[in-house]
Amino acid sequence: MSNANSWNAGRPAVYPLAPLPASALEGVRRRRVFAILLDLILVSLLSFALWFLLGLLTLGLGWLLLPSLFPLVAFFYNGLAVSGANMATPGMKAMDLEMRLTDGARVPFVNASVHAVLFYLSLYLFPPILLFSLFASDKRCLHDILAGVIVLRRA
């Protein structure tokens, strides 16, 4: 059967990854934890500021939107930051990390946003699944694999 009309025709296999230098993955797990903490603080501050402004502009009615505001801000925060020129959120940039597709290309907005959604779902619904990276040779979490991305140290 011909593979010419397949969606993956002419592309290299997404997994397994090409061999990476040891320095690209050195200390990635520890740095990711601190980057996540920084990003959670930034998303919380942005969400609060937006919530406060919406409350003032709508004379208090916007304050009912608080529960849905944090996920929306986190979705766009991660999607825009990772798909941007830095290929990292501000927390990742502070920890000298960047996110790429498994073939080394820049991460599109959709993949970055899906990655954020999968991360927050795993964080809030079943946190032990984040321990998957302890068993992966390339230090990827399950949500990284599902989104088709890898987090590396900046070159």
Side-chain angles (χ1 to χ4, degrees), residues 47-48 50-55 58 60-73:
S47 296
F48 178 76
L50 190 58
W51 173 76
F52 188 74
L53 287 174
L54 281 174
T58 61
L61 292 176
W63 288 331
L64 299 173
L65 298 174
L66 179 63
S68 62
L69 202 54
F70 184 87
L72 191 65
V73 170

Side-chain angles (χ1 to χ4, degrees), residues 16-136:
L17 295 170
L20 294 167
S23 62
L25 296 174
E26 185 179 327
V28 167
R29 284 187 204 108
R30 182 184 65 242
R31 290 171 179 268
R32 281 184 80 172
V33 170
F34 289 116
I36 288 167
L37 292 175
L38 287 172
D39 287 331
L40 283 174
I41 291 169
L42 288 173
V43 169
S44 297
L45 290 174
L46 285 171
S47 296
F48 178 76
L50 190 58
W51 173 76
F52 188 74
L53 287 174
L54 281 174
L56 290 178
L57 292 175
T58 61
L59 301 175
L61 292 176
W63 288 331
L64 299 173
L65 298 174
L66 179 63
S68 62
L69 202 54
F70 184 87
L72 191 65
V73 170
F75 179 83
F76 284 104
Y77 173 87
N78 199 62
L80 293 172
V82 171
S83 65
N86 291 325
M87 295 181 288
T89 62
M92 291 170 65
K93 189 175 177 188
M95 292 294 122
D96 203 30
L97 297 171
E98 68 180 19
M99 187 180 295
R100 294 188 171 270
L101 290 177
T102 54
D103 63 0
R106 177 167 290 185
V107 180
F109 177 81
V110 173
N111 287 54
S113 299
V114 166
H115 180 267
V117 169
L118 292 172
F119 167 71
Y120 284 110
L121 284 175
S122 62
L123 182 67
Y124 293 120
L125 296 179
F126 193 66
I129 203 161
L130 297 173
L131 297 175
F132 182 84
S133 76
L134 296 175
F135 305 105

